[in-house]
Each structure stands twice: as structure tokens, then as C-alpha cells.
Amino acid sequence: MIKKEINRISEVGKALISVEGNPGVALNHVVELLDADTNQSLSFAKAINISENSTRFQVFNGTGGLSTKTKLRMHEVPLTAGFSYNMLGRTFDGIGQVADNGPEVIFEKQLETSLDTLNPTVRLVPKQPLWTGIPMIDVFNTLVKSQKIPIFASPTEPYNRLLSQIAMGAQADVIIFAGIGLKFDEYHYFKDQLSQSGNIDKTIMFVHLAGESQIKGLMLPDVALSVAREFADQGKDALVLLTDMTNWSNILRNVANYQDMIPSLQGYPGSLYSELARRYEVAADIEGAGSITIIGATTLESLEDPVPDNTGYITEGQFFLENGKLKLARSLSRLKQQVNGNTRSDHRPIMTAMASLLADAEKAYEAAEVGAANDAFSQKLLAYRSDFIANMEEPFGDPLELDAALDRCWEILKRHFEPTETGLSKKLIEEYWDNQN
């Protein structure tokens, strides 16, 4: 319902506008910005700060073309996002508007994007695996439905390619890709890969390109996660791929600076932890419904940077991408023990054995750099290390089912060790060793 129109903007900033007093809105409510002469709709903005003397709004696509004469039309609803199954296979911008030059989508309902906290009593203990087709994840750090986990990587690593690889092999009902500050070629690469894999028809893309309105980038995760929650409420298992959460945090920092908020470490607002947590905590396995799993790419120069540091306290492990490889020693899924005991009988033992051998191989590698590690077993370890990096830590390629990934583990062990050198039980050796080619 439309409430009223007013014309009393007192200040126009880079991404914010201020209005004298409170025009009659609550936090997160939306106003429409109209040309003073023609009443043509120019943009939308969200109420983010309300005081006795003024109200501040975030403008979704920048304040260019706005002035103190611009009119505001009040709407008595918070920011909403449209929802429809017809969104599958389509691309939208940061506020949920069609962005692929296709036909308009007729939405079945409008969703609030406030990301209200889910009632803890309807959260289930995570017990279902979400297979990705990537051996380093499925075998060694199994992803669990409802898990929230980041990919930590330097800005030069192929983290978006890794998200694309996950989307290609993920056994989820719905995949929601949420990209903030993407380059144009990154967006098209992701879309092309999904089209080739056949998963595009179960994917919704929310895209904010570098150079577009910062406010659209800031709002994008809330819109994407609200849509994911609706799919979960309707019984679907949704996988949300967020990238890059450092880009998103930088926008948050910029907006906080526009509002003259007192900065914390490296200029980020003191609310950085709670802002990140509010998004990641949407992940849940919901009683009587589906699930939401979140993987968030987070670029970093150091793990002590504010964004990865805060993220590490919120999430349930991390995948670490280094030199194009998913590094076993730096990756961890804290929920993997919930599910990897209910798969093939060799899953946990071979995971443990190979990790232990890799740790020994890293010691042999360090020794070899100073001219040591010349004994026969050390040479086996060094060859094993190279094989492991090339065939297990390599995340790219055709997706593998879990059985095929476990079989590959046995093949690697057979290439370098005798059965008694693996640390595996006689029972497992008898069951699996001679069954490998």
C-alpha cells in the first residue's frame, strides 16, 4: 500500500540520501525516488538509520541524477525479493531484478529480506552429506548439508573457478550463485560452465558486476539467501555460493564510512562480525523442510585480515586454495565426522592413513631440500607427495562419485607403498587392495 509522497531531501551523498525528520518509515523499509517534475521512477532506497532529526537511506543504484528536489514515495513494506520456480536458469541483479535480457519473471510471492533468525527448535543436527564431485572435499573434508564454510584464497587464486566446479558436481536441488564485484568474464565463465554441465536449469544467478552500484552489491546476499530460504521451506536442498565476501565487506566498510560510523580495524565497522554472522547463520537443516548450505569465497592477504579472521569464528571449517590446489593441511570440515562414518567402510581409514602419510611426506620434502631424505622410504614418500598433489589436491576436472574417488585413493597408495606401509588394517587391505587396477 502506498502511504504518501514527500519532497524534503536535505542531503545527497555518494550512496546515501538524508531526509529531515522521520517521514514515516521503519528500518529496512523502502522508498521509491521520483523525478520532481515528471514523477518518473528513478530508483529505490532503503531506510538504514532513523533519528529524531533525520532519516538516512541507501540508494540502490547510486545517487547520480538525484537532487534535494527529488520526491520520495513511501511504501509500507520492507525490501522484498520476488520468488518463483521460473527463476531457475535465470540471472538477476543485486535487488532481484531480471538482468539477463530475458522476459520478465512473474513472481509467485514476495519475500522479506530481513533474514530473521531461524527458531533454533526447528534446526536439525547436520547428518546428510552434500557431495560435490571433488575428491579433496568428498573424501577428506566432506561437506554436510546446512554447513557454512568459506573458501580462503588470495585474490590471484582461481576461487571462482572452484565455485563453478562445485556447482557442476553438487548434488543439491537448487544452486544459488551470488557474485559481488564480479568481472564480466567471470560471470560468463560461470554461466558457460553450468550450461555445459547441465546444472544451469537448477541454478539461479544473482550478479553484481564490478563498477555497478555498491548498494546493489551490499543487498545481493540478503536477496539470494532469502530466495534460498524459501526453497528450503518448500522442501528443497539449496546450495548458496557467495563470492567474494571480502568484496561485500569492503562495500559494507564504504557505506559505514559514508555514514560517519566510528571505524574499527582497517576501517571496517565494529559490526563486521555480526553482519557476516547474520548471513552465514541462514545455513540450516530445517525440520520438516529442506536445507541451506553456504560456501563463501573470501579473498585475503593474511588470515589475520579482519574479514577471514571474523569469518573463521562464524563458520564450520574452511577450504584453503593455494597455488590452484585445495590444500589438505590447511583445510578442515568440522562436520565431516557427522557423515563420513556412514559411507563406504574404507572412507575414514583411508582418509586418515593418506593424511598421515602426507604429513610424513612433507617432513621428507623439507629434509630433501637440505640434502637429506635419501633413504628408500623417504623417496617413496616424496613420490607419493607429488602424486597426491596432482591427483587429490587438484580440484578441477570431471566430477567423481565418492566410490570412484575412494578407488583413486587406493590406486595412489598401490603406486608407492607396500600394504604394510600404509597403516591400514589387514581386513581393509584384503577387501580393497587387490580390487584396484
Side-chain angles (χ1 to χ4, degrees):
M1 181 194 304
I2 296 175
K3 186 176 182 181
K4 62 181 178 180
E5 295 179 4
I6 64 168
N7 184 4
R8 60 171 191 261
I9 295 178
S10 59
E11 182 181 356
V12 178
K14 296 177 182 178
L16 307 177
I17 58 173
S18 297
V19 174
E20 297 173 0
N22 184 346
V25 296
L27 284 176
N28 295 320
H29 280 210
V30 173
V31 299
E32 187 175 4
L33 304 175
L34 307 174
D35 184 272
D37 298 322
T38 65
N39 261 14
Q40 179 182 355
S41 179
L42 300 175
S43 185
F44 289 86
K46 183 182 75 165
I48 61 168
N49 185 280
I50 299 174
S51 67
E52 183 177 347
N53 298 322
S54 67
T55 303
R56 284 187 170 183
F57 296 86
Q58 290 178 348
V59 183
F60 293 154
N61 57 350
T63 58
L66 304 183
S67 71
T68 55
K69 295 181 180 180
T70 301
K71 292 196 294 187
L72 279 74
R73 176 180 289 167
M74 304 294 122
H75 293 264
E76 291 185 330
V77 294
L79 176 67
T80 61
F83 173 83
S84 169
Y85 277 81
N86 292 328
M87 297 173 75
L88 294 169
R90 301 294 302 278
T91 301
F92 301 84
D93 67 11
I95 56 175
Q97 296 177 337
V98 172
D100 58 7
N101 297 319
E104 288 298 316
V105 174
I106 299 175
F107 296 115
E108 301 167 14
K109 62 192 301 186
Q110 292 292 319
L111 311 172
E112 290 192 11
T113 60
S114 52
L115 302 182
D116 293 332
T117 302
L118 190 67
N119 188 332
T121 62
V122 302
R123 288 180 179 266
L124 299 176
V125 176
K127 291 184 178 179
Q128 300 180 72
L130 199 164
W131 306 116
T132 66
I134 299 176
M136 180 48 59
I137 295 177
D138 293 351
V139 175
F140 294 91
N141 283 296
T142 312
L143 186 65
V144 181
K145 290 179 182 178
S146 80
Q147 191 165 3
K148 47 189 180 290
I149 191 166
I151 296 171
F152 288 152
S154 78
T156 59
E157 292 288 341
Y159 55 91
N160 282 327
R161 185 183 171 198
L162 176 57
L163 286 179
S164 173
Q165 182 74 34
I166 292 171
M168 287 169 58
Q171 295 181 15
D173 297 323
V174 177
I175 299 168
I176 295 180
F177 175 79
I180 305 109
L182 288 180
K183 296 177 182 177
F184 193 72
D185 57 346
E186 292 175 328
Y187 156 59
H188 275 282
Y189 174 82
F190 193 94
K191 191 169 185 178
D192 289 345
Q193 291 298 109
L194 281 174
S195 297
Q196 292 174 22
S197 71
N199 274 358
I200 191 68
D201 290 337
K202 67 176 185 180
T203 301
I204 302 173
M205 299 184 70
F206 292 93
V207 175
H208 168 259
L209 297 177
E212 291 185 339
S213 163
Q214 289 195 32
I215 302 304
K216 284 188 176 182
L218 188 67
M219 298 306 304
L220 188 148
D222 296 1
V223 173
L225 290 166
S226 297
V227 172
R229 178 175 280 180
E230 181 62 25
F231 275 111
D233 286 343
Q234 296 193 20
K236 303 297 183 182
D237 291 320
L239 171 62
V240 182
L241 305 174
L242 297 170
T243 181
D244 165 8
M245 290 306 287
T246 298
N247 283 347
W248 181 84
S249 300
N250 290 341
I251 296 174
L252 182 70
R253 175 172 59 185
N254 293 340
V255 171
N257 290 336
Y258 293 151
Q259 299 178 60
D260 296 324
M261 294 175 61
I262 297 174
S264 184
L265 189 63
Q266 293 187 19
Y268 290 100
S271 62
L272 177 63
Y273 176 90
S274 60
E275 295 288 357
L276 288 168
R278 191 160 72 90
R279 277 80 190 173
Y280 278 112
E281 289 298 335
V282 172
D285 195 349
I286 306 168
E287 184 179 12
S291 66
I292 305 162
T293 306
I294 299 175
I295 302 176
T298 302
T299 55
L300 52 86
E301 298 296 337
S302 164
L303 284 171
E304 297 178 356
D305 291 344
V307 178
D309 186 38
N310 280 279
T311 300
Y313 287 105
I314 297 164
T315 52
E316 295 150 340
Q318 73 278 332
F319 300 135
F320 207 101
L321 189 64
E322 185 176 42
N323 297 323
K325 308 293 185 183
L326 269 177
K327 303 306 292 182
L328 175 60
R330 305 189 72 179
S331 300
L332 172 67
S333 168
R334 294 195 179 103
L335 301 184
K336 63 183 178 182
Q337 300 295 338
Q338 302 280 75
V339 296
N340 64 10
N342 301 317
T343 56
R344 221 167 75 172
S345 61
D346 58 332
H347 187 166
R348 278 187 182 173
I350 204 165
M351 173 191 75
T352 303
M354 293 189 78
S356 178
L357 286 167
L358 185 65
D360 292 340
E362 292 295 344
K363 294 177 183 177
Y365 181 76
E366 292 175 3
E369 288 190 317
V370 294
N374 295 318
D375 60 283
F377 189 68
S378 291
Q379 293 301 308
K380 286 186 177 184
L381 288 170
L382 293 173
Y384 165 72
R385 177 182 179 274
S386 297
D387 201 348
F388 189 94
I389 292 172
N391 290 294
M392 297 308 298
E393 292 189 338
E394 172 61 61
F396 306 113
D398 293 334
L400 282 184
E401 297 287 340
L402 178 65
D403 282 354
L406 290 170
D407 289 346
R408 179 181 290 184
C409 291
W410 285 101
E411 291 164 7
I412 292 173
L413 290 178
K414 284 187 67 175
R415 282 199 288 268
H416 305 287
F417 301 107
E418 297 298 322
T420 55
E421 296 173 325
T422 63
L424 291 162
S425 69
K426 182 178 179 182
K427 180 180 178 181
L428 285 175
I429 293 293
E430 291 174 348
E431 184 174 358
Y432 292 103
W433 191 269
D434 290 331
N435 292 331
Q436 309 307 312
N437 296 324

